[in-house]
Amino acid sequence: MMPRISCDECHSGVPDFEITHFGNIEAGYRKLCSRCHNEEVARRSGLTFTHIAFLPMELPDANGTGHRFHFVLRLLGTMLSLAAIEVKGGGREGYEFQVHGAADADPFDLMTRLLERMRHDLAKTYLIEGDLGLAISGTTVRGQLTCDPESADYMPLLVIDGQEVSWEQFGRMLMTFEGWRIHLEIQDPSEEV
């Protein structure tokens, strides 16, 4: 069961990834669920906005393993963001996808774009199980950069093929290519890689 956080506006309990800390230093911050956040941003921006709560969905990866995603729609002033967040066990873990559109974009069009990206990315794998553990299967790796809150040095944590890979593990994988050249490109989470 996912831990729930109470929205300061409607008092409904939602998963932590649904919460936005809304406000500023002077006035303080409120914890708002995505629906209350969207209503507040629409009101302040003078926009007409109808919040859509998309139901969770399970999609398979290239190996046929199912991944359960929850969707979060956020109005961010001049743009609308739709995120798919993988949930395992009791919380957020694994793949995350995101698309953006104009504030008046149709949320269902964003969902269509998001699902296309998810299916495309889930169909590829970049890691294999080698003799010494996880290894890079080719010469390209794509994933997401996040942080390792358990690390004393607050080191990066990568999510590749929906699984967490520590900076140390990734370094060992790269040593297979010692002497090779490398190109690292960092992109906004909504961009297609």
Side-chain angles (χ1 to χ4, degrees), residues 50-141:
T50 303
H51 180 79
I52 309 260
F54 292 104
L55 294 175
M57 175 184 300
E58 187 167 305
L59 292 173
D61 63 17
N63 300 316
T65 304
H67 298 267
R68 185 164 179 78
F69 292 94
H70 287 246
F71 299 95
V72 179
L73 183 67
R74 282 201 177 91
L75 181 59
L76 303 170
T78 60
M79 85 173 158
L80 187 59
S81 171
L82 179 60
I85 298 161
E86 184 176 8
V87 174
K88 294 179 185 173
R92 171 188 210 152
E93 183 183 330
Y95 287 103
E96 290 190 23
F97 300 96
Q98 193 176 105
V99 293
H100 296 156
D104 62 351
D106 182 341
F108 294 100
D109 289 343
L110 289 179
M111 177 58 92
T112 299
R113 283 182 31 220
L114 182 61
L115 286 173
E116 286 173 8
R117 175 169 301 152
M118 292 168 69
R119 286 186 177 111
H120 177 267
D121 288 0
L122 287 167
K124 297 178 183 175
T125 56
Y126 300 100
L127 301 178
I128 57 171
E129 193 63 43
D131 294 338
L132 302 173
L134 280 179
I136 298 169
S137 63
T139 58
T140 300
V141 177

Side-chain angles (χ1 to χ4, degrees), residues 2-186:
M2 270 187 287
R4 313 291 273 186
I5 297 174
S6 181
C7 172
D8 289 338
E9 186 68 24
C10 69
H11 306 292
S12 63
V14 297
D16 65 346
F17 54 79
E18 279 268 352
I19 291 290
T20 300
H21 295 272
F22 191 88
N24 57 53
I25 293 173
E26 293 81 28
Y29 293 90
R30 295 180 295 153
K31 294 179 289 194
L32 299 181
C33 67
S34 58
R35 177 181 301 277
C36 292
H37 169 266
N38 292 340
E39 289 172 358
E40 182 70 17
V41 171
R43 185 184 63 73
R44 289 178 181 221
S45 303
L47 298 171
T48 301
F49 183 79
T50 303
H51 180 79
I52 309 260
F54 292 104
L55 294 175
M57 175 184 300
E58 187 167 305
L59 292 173
D61 63 17
N63 300 316
T65 304
H67 298 267
R68 185 164 179 78
F69 292 94
H70 287 246
F71 299 95
V72 179
L73 183 67
R74 282 201 177 91
L75 181 59
L76 303 170
T78 60
M79 85 173 158
L80 187 59
S81 171
L82 179 60
I85 298 161
E86 184 176 8
V87 174
K88 294 179 185 173
R92 171 188 210 152
E93 183 183 330
Y95 287 103
E96 290 190 23
F97 300 96
Q98 193 176 105
V99 293
H100 296 156
D104 62 351
D106 182 341
F108 294 100
D109 289 343
L110 289 179
M111 177 58 92
T112 299
R113 283 182 31 220
L114 182 61
L115 286 173
E116 286 173 8
R117 175 169 301 152
M118 292 168 69
R119 286 186 177 111
H120 177 267
D121 288 0
L122 287 167
K124 297 178 183 175
T125 56
Y126 300 100
L127 301 178
I128 57 171
E129 193 63 43
D131 294 338
L132 302 173
L134 280 179
I136 298 169
S137 63
T139 58
T140 300
V141 177
R142 290 188 171 96
Q144 181 179 358
L145 181 63
T146 184
C147 67
D148 184 357
E150 304 298 318
S151 167
D153 297 333
Y154 205 63
M155 292 300 291
L157 184 68
L158 303 172
V159 178
I160 304 170
D161 295 348
Q163 57 188 315
E164 294 180 347
V165 177
S166 73
W167 201 241
E168 186 178 324
Q169 283 176 299
F170 190 64
R172 280 195 297 273
M173 288 182 213
L174 287 176
M175 289 314 298
T176 305
F177 301 97
E178 183 179 3
W180 290 43
R181 295 172 47 88
I182 186 169
H183 170 87
L184 175 65
E185 185 175 351
I186 299 172

